[in-house]
Amino acid sequence: MLAITENHNQAFSGSVRHFAYWYSDCLLGESRRLFVTPPLRPKPITKISIPQLLELKLQSHFSNQRSVFKLLLPLLSFITALLVIGLSNSFGIIADPVASAAKPATQQLDVEKDELKFGFIKLTDCAPIVVAKEKGFFEDEGLQVEVIAQPNWKQLLDNVINGELDGAHMLSGQPIAATIGFGTKAHIVTAYTLDLNGNGITVSNDIWAKMVENDPELDTPTPKHPISAKALKPVVQEMLDEGKKLQMGMVFPVSTHNYEIRYWLASSGIHPGMYTSEDIKGFADAEVELSVTPPPQMPATMEAGTISSYCVGEPWNQQAVSKAIGVPVTTNYDIWKNNPEKVFGVTKAWADENPTTHVAVVKALMRAGKWLDETDESGKLVNREEACRLLAKPNYVGADFDVIKNSMTGFFYFQKSDKREMPDFNVFFKYQASYPWYSDGVWFLTQMRRWGQITEPKPAEWYDQTAKSVYMPSVYKAAAKMLLDEGHITEADVPWDTDGYRPATTDFIDGIEYDGKKPLEYLTKHTIGNKD
Amino acid sequence: MPEQTRIEKIKYGLLKTIDVSGFKVFDPVVRLFFGEEPQKQVKDITRYMLMPILFVCCCLVIWNFVAPRHKTKSGEVPTPEQVWSALKVNDTLHNRENEKESDFTLSDKERDERIKEVEILIAKKEEESKKLKEDLTTIDAEVTKKKDESLAPLKAKYTELKAAHKEARAERAAEAQKMADAVAEKKSGTEDLLTLLRQSNKTKELEKEKEQVVKDQIAKINDDKPKVLQNAKMASDSVATEVQHLKKRLDYLTSGNRSMKVGKAKESATTALTKLESAQSSAEILAAAKTVVKSEERADKIAKQEYPRASTIWFQMWRSLFTVFIGFMMAAVVAIPVGIMCGLNRVAMACLTPIISIFKPVSPVVWLLIFQIVVGAFFPNPETHPFFLFLNSLPIVGRLNSNPALIFSACTVAMCALWPALVNTALGVSSVENDHINVAKVLRLGLWSRLTKIIIPSSLPLVFAGLRISLGVGWMVLIAAEALSSSEGLGKYVWDQYQNGSSLTFANILLACFVIGIIGFILDRIMIVLQRAVSFDDGAATV
């Protein structure tokens, strides 16, 4: 039927236009659509007439007037949403007749906003967002999502704050720092932890050669791990004697990488420098200088000689190995086993305006996380290779498939000759990884205090309150409950009755115990850094 | 004869067109075609056409020769052939987006047919992929075996060397110890001990160097990736990616298809409707009615959905062109009136001179940051801002997804493109011949007619010369601005490619270099045509 009408249309419309259409087709391919509208093209979604536009404006004007309603609105809409879901569920409306045989059905929430833009940085740990988009998990929730690469963490945060993006792949420290006002101030919240681990510290070949010289035990193709910074200390000292400071790169002042590389250095007695109210670069008392470089530029910056070591996420450590410009000495798995890495962050205002959308997004992300961590009976990760292929597309991470595959499929190359099994190098879902733990937030706060980013000593309650104002387990649990009902996850995947604090752990490179409920005591246990 | 004049007419028409469009090189070709002084024309053609072509070919050959010989840490410099294949890869990516888009919008019978086609393709490609993977494993095993074979003696040599050196080191240490003891017992002087230590340090260095040589050899063999293996990997990779793409297409044809989604929503609306009819209590009725409305609304919404395209190089090219057009227009709208004012009034000129001289040399990067802050304040909520809603509702421009980043880039372009146009306009206006002005005075023309009848027409050639420079500057600035503001466009394409750091990165950057260059060239030609069209003399620029 359709074909006939189309032919009909073609036969009778102006031949000139069709010639132009055909000709531009030959020349430009699909991009001709910018110039000559082909027959029977669907209208763009965003088409809005002027009266409609005025109406929109008026509406927003009125809603400004009734600010009390505005406060109640999220609550009301959330309740209505739940009602609608309940009703539609009992009517069995949304069940998918085709898909239900193959996979459990998803109930679509009645979202406030269905076209969303998410930002990400070219790192493999953006995988849940990419997978949720490419595997159609977002679409299952009725969301049309655009995923846009951002040049650096600062701009990503700015774009989330100014509304250009709805949400983004963020460093765990970013929502916390923004909320307490270190750097750009804005209330950012998170309801989903994207992954654990996934970073490495790479040193240049030169530094590695010197480290090997200092510690002959390292002089094998497969040295014993974890490698501490002890072998690096003489190198730092030697440079200080020459009046130079070793230059190192990390990705952002409040990034996990900054705290990890500081932890690694300080645990071997190297002072990484303090932030003070005057010294916002964090160079006070420093024996090595840590400066900010965006992740994708790390290998190139090291090649250029500006820095001689860096701490960054994947694939930029594997890139150093494959280009033979450096040696990854340790991963953050060795510095702190199963440490929180990236979160999915949105502004508080957005979360308040779109509570149901937030739940829908977290649902899709949880399914993506679960998919990424799926294993067969032998414990082999089954979906990672497909995920790597998705990430290797130029509009996502874009690095070579082989390079991404190196760390994502449970292996890590420390040198070309040193391939090790690291099944937990990227954890997306198991160990209840994706839950927004308060204790993670408190750890970042203690590190911010330790290195002087928080300039004043704070009481223990402040740590708890701040963490609670940033992490939103309620949204996570709402999403998890729905997924459990739909059969996508199991009861054990989610800590239903937790108070939000993980039990105390000593899984650090220096064996110091961390208990999220005792932040002040934790601070006193370290030798370098603020102790209150 | 009338016939001859007609031919002449065509000939001179063609010559004029060539002249106006600035392609004077083709002049002898046309003349030769019409048989005018063949010898001279052939000479001209060889000199001004064949020689340049030869030269360009020469450059390509040199490039092809030099590129693979310059090894960088990110791989070899791509050859022209590799850049060409990068173009093809980019085009494939673009086509894949097209395919997915058309799959998304297909419905009914066409969709069924397409599903069958894709399923057949998937089966075929999966077979191929499996075979290629097997090939890859065998080749990989062979290569590793060969590598191990050649590595084994080296590794043995290395361990041997290290053991020997360790022994020698221990010996030397013992000797030094002995000597130190001797010194302690006052049997000998310190001089010997010192020489020994110096000597031993030197030997140590030598030993290390020896070890390093072997180590380097091992590393070299390890680094070596045979072409066979690389090719096998690439082939298997590309087919695997193709399979994934096809599967995604199947997704877009079945559960992800627009018509399917609309159908599902409509179905739920009908179910709800029957529920509504059979409902008894008022609460049930209300609830069912609400569901009906909701499902209908959703169906409407989905019906209007469009496929969310990933940006490809051709899309980014059009967006860059749009941005530069906006920026250029903004520059022209400001520069021409202000320039005319400056040309007419010396006081105005004096007032503006300090501003022009200070702001002209400022880098586009600085402007971009300033505009991001200043102009950004106008769009607190870009998604619902009427300006962007309006831009995105336009028929052609709407597809480009305008956002604040585009406006910032356009403003930066405008700011940098402003100056040449302004200065040239002022110059053009102030250099109108005095005779013309005097005539205007005699005729007692008012200011308006003086402007439109005398000043603007006679300054137009210079104004357009200025605009031409402006457009060139704008295009150059745009790429940097886009890279920095991450506004979708060729600048972002280049920056993304750099950040990707994949094996195709370098070739893609070179490809972008050519695309940007060719577009810049075309833009310049367009400006030349305009400039020629308003000039009265032939003296205006040609190249």
Side-chain angles (χ1 to χ4, degrees):
Chain A
M1 249 275 299
L2 219 126
I4 296 167
T5 37
E6 193 168 347
N7 284 337
H8 189 75
N9 190 354
Q10 268 179 2
F12 284 91
S13 46
S15 60
V16 176
R17 210 186 84 171
H18 276 277
F19 175 71
Y21 177 60
W22 168 83
Y23 186 63
S24 58
D25 192 3
C26 298
L27 277 180
L28 309 163
E30 191 51 27
S31 25
R32 65 172 185 247
R33 293 208 167 147
L34 300 169
F35 286 124
V36 187
T37 338
L40 286 182
R41 259 203 66 67
K43 284 177 191 167
I45 328 164
T46 40
K47 209 162 202 172
I48 285 183
S49 68
I50 303 296
Q52 269 175 319
L53 222 148
L54 280 175
E55 209 176 289
L56 263 178
K57 276 212 82 173
L58 278 177
Q59 270 174 11
S60 66
H61 181 70
F62 276 118
S63 59
N64 274 342
Q65 297 277 311
R66 289 173 291 177
S67 53
V68 188
F69 279 103
K70 210 176 173 189
L71 281 174
L72 282 174
L73 209 69
L75 196 69
L76 280 172
S77 52
F78 190 58
I79 292 167
T80 9
L82 284 180
L83 267 174
V84 170
I85 298 151
L87 286 170
S88 54
N89 196 21
S90 58
F91 288 150
I93 286 171
I94 307 173
D96 178 354
V98 189
S100 55
K103 55 181 182 186
T106 323
Q107 1 170 344
Q108 282 192 359
L109 286 164
D110 182 33
V111 294
E112 295 88 356
K113 191 173 177 194
D114 60 354
E115 281 177 32
L116 303 171
K117 282 185 192 163
F118 294 153
F120 74 99
I121 297 282
K122 289 175 179 281
L123 291 165
T124 52
D125 50 22
C126 69
I129 298 178
V130 171
V131 166
K133 176 174 162 57
E134 287 288 320
K135 295 296 290 177
F137 298 150
F138 282 135
E139 285 205 2
D140 286 350
E141 304 298 333
L143 302 169
Q144 281 267 42
V145 174
E146 204 181 323
V147 180
I148 308 160
Q150 304 292 309
N152 56 55
W153 292 111
K154 166 94 174 76
Q155 203 151 347
L156 174 135
L157 185 64
D158 286 349
N159 282 344
V160 171
I161 294 170
N162 69 25
E164 179 69 13
L165 296 172
D166 292 292
H169 163 228
M170 280 187 194
L171 294 157
S172 289
Q174 264 183 318
I176 301 168
T179 303
I180 64 171
F182 179 75
T184 321
K185 184 161 173 60
H187 196 163
I188 307 280
V189 294
T190 173
Y192 188 83
T193 305
L194 289 168
D195 70 319
L196 306 182
N197 310 326
N199 297 334
I201 296 176
T202 297
V203 299
S204 67
N205 292 332
D206 231 22
I207 300 283
W208 176 245
K210 284 183 189 158
M211 282 175 75
V212 170
E213 211 171 291
N214 293 328
D215 185 356
E217 274 181 30
L218 298 177
D219 193 11
T220 72
T222 49
K224 196 172 155 273
H225 280 228
I227 298 174
S228 75
K230 285 212 176 67
L232 187 69
K233 191 154 167 69
V235 182
V236 172
Q237 197 53 50
E238 202 178 300
M239 288 189 79
L240 280 175
D241 293 344
E242 287 170 22
K244 285 187 284 187
K245 283 180 182 173
L246 187 67
Q247 298 294 321
M248 290 185 154
M250 47 87 180
V251 303
F252 202 62
V254 297
S255 70
T256 348
H257 316 81
N258 189 14
Y259 304 129
E260 278 157 5
I261 198 167
R262 277 165 188 272
Y263 202 104
W264 184 67
L265 292 168
S267 68
S268 298
I270 301 172
H271 200 305
M274 298 289 289
Y275 291 85
T276 64
S277 42
E278 289 91 42
D279 188 354
I280 48 166
K281 290 173 97 176
F283 288 171
D285 304 332
E287 289 172 337
V288 297
E289 289 187 344
L290 291 157
S291 52
V292 172
T293 308
Q297 274 138 271
M298 284 292 186
T301 315
M302 190 159 86
E303 230 184 307
T306 318
I307 51 175
S308 41
S309 165
Y310 59 71
C311 180
V312 75
E314 276 314 299
W316 310 114
N317 294 296
Q318 293 303 300
Q319 188 85 277
V321 178
S322 77
K323 284 186 178 178
I325 57 171
V327 178
V329 282
T330 185
T331 65
N332 60 346
Y333 185 76
D334 284 332
I335 298 170
W336 176 18
K337 204 169 142 192
N338 289 338
N339 60 331
E341 178 51 38
K342 300 282 166 15
V343 295
F344 177 76
V346 298
T347 60
K348 180 82 167 43
W350 189 92
D352 287 346
E353 271 169 40
N354 308 293
T356 330
T357 318
H358 202 182
V359 172
V361 171
V362 171
K363 266 179 83 184
L365 288 175
M366 280 179 84
R367 283 181 66 195
K370 176 101 184 162
W371 183 84
L372 278 161
D373 271 4
E374 218 146 274
T375 51
D376 58 10
E377 281 121 35
S378 62
K380 198 177 154 251
L381 294 157
V382 285
N383 290 328
R384 289 290 177 89
E385 195 155 327
E386 192 180 341
C388 293
R389 222 172 267 293
L390 291 174
L391 289 171
K393 287 190 183 177
N395 46 339
Y396 300 127
V397 178
D400 283 346
F401 169 68
D402 279 338
V403 174
I404 294 177
K405 204 177 81 176
N406 279 354
S407 69
M408 278 281 278
T409 46
F411 295 97
F412 195 85
Y413 279 87
F414 286 92
Q415 297 179 49
K416 273 188 185 157
S417 53
D418 186 3
K419 179 184 181 182
R420 296 187 192 202
E421 229 171 280
M422 287 198 77
D424 285 351
F425 183 74
N426 280 116
V427 175
F428 292 102
F429 198 72
K430 60 180 172 183
Y431 310 131
Q432 303 175 335
S434 59
Y435 187 84
W437 295 97
Y438 294 139
S439 49
D440 293 346
V442 172
W443 189 79
F444 285 104
L445 286 167
T446 61
Q447 297 307 302
M448 286 174 196
R449 176 63 199 135
R450 183 182 176 192
W451 302 116
Q453 292 177 332
I454 299 171
T455 45
E456 305 278 311
K458 302 274 184 187
E461 305 84 63
W462 180 83
Y463 287 90
D464 179 60
Q465 281 159 10
T466 311
K468 281 183 177 158
S469 71
V470 173
Y471 285 77
M472 296 180 77
S474 58
V475 174
Y476 184 90
K477 279 184 187 162
K481 186 83 194 56
M482 292 183 67
L483 286 176
L484 184 67
D485 292 343
E486 291 161 19
H488 286 295
I489 58 170
T490 58
E491 187 88 35
D493 286 338
V494 177
W496 300 100
D497 309 316
T498 176
D499 61 349
Y501 283 87
R502 278 194 193 258
T505 167
T506 52
D507 280 338
F508 288 87
I509 194 169
D510 52 4
I512 288 177
E513 188 194 59
Y514 167 66
D515 182 354
K517 288 177 183 162
K518 299 171 189 159
L520 297 181
E521 286 167 39
Y522 180 63
L523 278 173
T524 58
K525 289 179 191 165
H526 299 284
T527 39
I528 297 179
N530 286 330
K531 290 192 183 55
D532 48 359
Chain B
M1 272 178 272
E3 214 178 43
Q4 211 165 5
T5 44
R6 220 174 73 207
I7 288 173
E8 294 257 284
K9 238 186 200 168
I10 294 172
K11 179 180 158 188
Y12 286 109
L14 268 174
L15 286 179
K16 182 99 196 288
T17 322
I18 284 170
D19 185 42
V20 166
S21 59
F23 285 100
K24 256 203 149 153
V25 233
F26 295 108
D27 192 287
V29 180
V30 175
R31 287 183 196 273
L32 184 67
F33 184 74
F34 287 102
E36 183 189 316
E37 293 178 280
Q39 249 176 348
K40 185 176 173 278
Q41 306 314 338
V42 170
K43 207 169 134 195
D44 276 0
I45 288 173
T46 15
R47 264 193 190 163
Y48 304 122
M49 272 185 86
L50 291 183
M51 286 304 278
I53 290 172
L54 217 70
F55 177 72
V56 171
C57 291
C58 223
C59 289
L60 281 176
V61 170
I62 292 172
W63 173 13
N64 203 14
F65 177 79
V66 173
R69 280 162 187 78
H70 180 62
K71 300 248 190 299
T72 69
K73 283 188 176 152
S74 322
E76 289 155 7
V77 176
T79 57
E81 196 196 335
Q82 277 162 324
V83 175
W84 180 249
S85 63
L87 175 70
K88 280 194 277 188
V89 168
N90 276 292
D91 208 47
T92 323
L93 286 176
H94 184 78
N95 288 336
R96 281 189 183 155
E97 285 303 310
N98 291 345
E99 280 169 359
K100 279 192 267 184
E101 186 172 27
S102 93
D103 289 346
F104 177 71
T105 46
L106 270 190
S107 59
D108 302 325
K109 224 177 171 181
E110 287 178 1
R111 190 179 70 92
D112 296 337
E113 277 166 23
R114 188 69 70 81
I115 289 176
K116 265 178 221 147
E117 269 172 43
V118 173
E119 270 169 353
I120 292 166
L121 262 177
I122 288 178
K124 209 173 92 188
K125 288 281 170 186
E126 261 179 348
E127 192 106 322
E128 201 181 325
S129 168
K130 214 170 137 198
K131 207 183 138 266
L132 280 172
K133 255 190 194 153
E134 276 164 18
D135 286 355
L136 180 62
T137 12
T138 42
I139 291 175
D140 197 24
E142 265 172 42
V143 168
T144 343
K145 206 177 139 201
K146 231 186 235 167
K147 220 181 233 178
D148 285 345
E149 270 169 20
S150 52
L151 272 179
L154 276 174
K155 273 191 178 155
K157 196 175 158 195
Y158 182 63
T159 16
E160 212 174 279
L161 213 60
K162 253 178 87 178
H165 287 163
K166 206 174 174 187
E167 219 170 275
R169 224 170 285 158
E171 253 170 48
R172 284 201 301 272
E175 205 175 323
Q177 188 60 46
K178 227 197 265 167
M179 225 171 242
D181 289 345
V183 174
E185 289 163 21
K186 302 251 158 89
K187 276 184 192 161
S188 61
T190 51
E191 203 50 42
D192 287 346
L193 177 63
L194 287 178
T195 15
L196 180 78
L197 283 181
R198 276 183 206 124
Q199 195 60 43
S200 101
N201 271 358
K202 263 184 204 157
T203 354
K204 202 173 151 193
E205 285 297 314
L206 281 177
E207 283 168 355
K208 238 192 226 161
E209 264 170 38
K210 267 189 206 161
E211 280 175 28
Q212 196 57 45
V213 169
V214 185
K215 237 181 170 176
D216 284 348
Q217 279 172 342
I218 294 175
K220 205 180 161 200
I221 293 175
N222 262 332
D223 277 355
D224 184 39
K225 283 184 208 140
K227 268 265 151 29
V228 210
L229 185 66
Q230 268 182 17
N231 288 343
K233 234 178 209 167
M234 252 161 65
S236 135
D237 245 25
S238 78
V239 176
T241 318
E242 176 88 43
V243 169
Q244 199 172 41
H245 164 66
L246 287 170
K247 281 189 177 154
K248 186 78 202 167
R249 277 187 68 186
L250 201 60
D251 240 31
Y252 272 118
L253 282 167
T254 51
S255 61
N257 188 275
R258 186 166 62 190
S259 63
M260 288 295 278
K261 286 205 269 183
V262 173
K264 222 193 274 171
K266 276 189 181 150
E267 201 177 293
S268 64
T270 6
T271 356
L273 210 59
T274 41
K275 279 260 158 66
L276 178 63
E277 276 155 13
S278 63
Q280 299 296 328
S281 72
S282 66
E284 260 179 57
I285 290 173
L286 190 64
K290 268 186 188 164
T291 340
V292 172
V293 174
K294 277 263 142 67
S295 318
E296 281 172 359
E297 274 175 7
R298 189 179 298 147
D300 282 350
K301 223 178 196 178
I302 296 171
K304 279 187 212 145
Q305 261 180 10
E306 279 215 38
Y307 170 71
R309 287 185 74 100
S311 52
T312 50
I313 188 169
W314 305 129
F315 169 79
Q316 284 168 319
M317 182 185 85
W318 289 117
R319 205 162 181 277
S320 279
L321 278 172
F322 177 62
T323 315
V324 86
F325 176 74
I326 293 191
F328 175 68
M329 279 300 157
M330 290 198 307
V333 164
V334 175
I336 294 173
V338 175
I340 291 173
M341 204 171 75
C342 287
L344 289 177
N345 191 327
R346 297 193 64 173
V347 179
M349 182 69 142
C351 287
L352 278 170
T353 306
I355 291 179
I356 296 173
S357 6
I358 289 173
F359 289 138
K360 202 166 77 171
V362 175
S363 152
V365 176
V366 180
W367 287 126
L368 178 78
L369 298 180
I370 293 172
F371 282 121
Q372 271 188 347
I373 298 164
V374 175
V375 182
F378 292 117
F379 313 118
N381 197 353
E383 288 205 2
T384 52
H385 196 278
F387 178 65
F388 291 111
L389 286 180
F390 166 72
L391 265 188
N392 287 330
S393 67
L394 295 175
I396 297 164
V397 175
R399 282 185 67 91
L400 296 174
N401 297 330
S402 305
N403 60 0
L406 182 141
I407 303 299
F408 304 150
S409 313
C411 287
T412 310
V413 168
M415 203 63 199
C416 296
L418 184 69
W419 313 113
L422 202 161
V423 172
N424 262 33
T425 311
L427 184 71
V429 171
S430 61
S431 58
V432 174
E433 271 180 49
N434 259 338
D435 290 352
H436 295 182
I437 304 276
N438 288 338
V439 169
K441 276 183 186 158
V442 169
L443 292 177
R444 293 196 181 175
L445 290 180
L447 179 67
W448 181 248
S449 16
R450 214 190 292 179
L451 268 179
T452 50
K453 295 269 155 47
I454 294 174
I455 292 169
I456 292 177
S458 52
S459 59
L460 263 186
L462 265 175
V463 172
F464 271 86
L467 287 178
R468 184 182 153 209
I469 301 170
S470 282
L471 190 58
V473 169
W475 183 244
M476 241 162 35
V477 163
L478 175 74
I479 304 301
E482 279 177 341
L484 202 68
S485 69
S486 65
S487 160
E488 279 307 336
L490 287 172
K492 184 165 188 277
Y493 175 83
V494 174
W495 191 242
D496 277 354
Q497 288 305 326
Y498 170 64
Q499 296 214 322
N500 284 351
S502 77
S503 50
L504 263 178
T505 288
F506 207 163
N508 278 337
I509 292 176
L510 282 182
L511 169 69
C513 170
F514 283 105
V515 172
I516 293 167
I518 289 167
I519 292 172
F521 166 75
I522 294 169
L523 289 180
D524 196 49
R525 285 290 137 161
I526 294 172
M527 286 312 287
I528 287 182
V529 175
L530 287 177
Q531 190 187 341
R532 281 303 186 83
V534 298
S535 301
F536 305 111
D537 53 349
D538 303 330
T542 39
V543 178

